[in-house]
Amino acid sequence: MAKIGKKPNRRVAVGPPRKLTAGGDSWQLQTAKSKFSEVFQRARTQGPQRVTRQGKESVVIISGERYDELVGTSHQPESLVEFFRQSPLVGLELDFERDRSPGRDIEL
């Protein structure tokens, strides 16, 4: 009986992830898929991880905590009343008096 050999690896060799200026790593899509657990862990511990497809399109994987900071869901007030109570303008005296002049004269 003939031995069935392992198929040769025909994938393009990918080097280690390239460092981003924002402190995260960059991954090609295939590598990110095969090492998703590592990408996930690095997003939690080292910062955003960029995933590119064919060197062009990209997405960024970030931790849930960082996402909440960016979209502000963790700081959302419970109601509109709470929103105004937390405003930095609370206690500021504002002049809401309207100018009652009829406007300007124009020639027709």
Side-chain angles (χ1 to χ4, degrees), residues 30-74:
Q30 273 71 22
T31 306
K33 286 177 8 181
S34 67
K35 296 185 177 189
F36 184 73
S37 293
E38 183 179 348
V39 175
F40 177 89
Q41 187 60 34
R42 285 188 182 193
R44 303 249 332 125
T45 60
Q46 297 177 11
Q49 303 293 304
R50 182 179 301 270
V51 179
T52 61
R53 182 168 55 182
Q54 298 177 350
K56 298 175 187 169
E57 303 170 26
S58 70
V59 297
V60 178
I61 300 174
I62 60 175
S63 68
E65 292 85 6
R66 182 70 178 127
Y67 176 79
D68 289 342
E69 288 174 18
L70 292 172
V71 298
T73 56
S74 61

Side-chain angles (χ1 to χ4, degrees), residues 4 29 44 67 86 92:
I4 299 176
L29 181 60
R44 303 249 332 125
Y67 176 79
Q86 295 172 7
L92 185 64

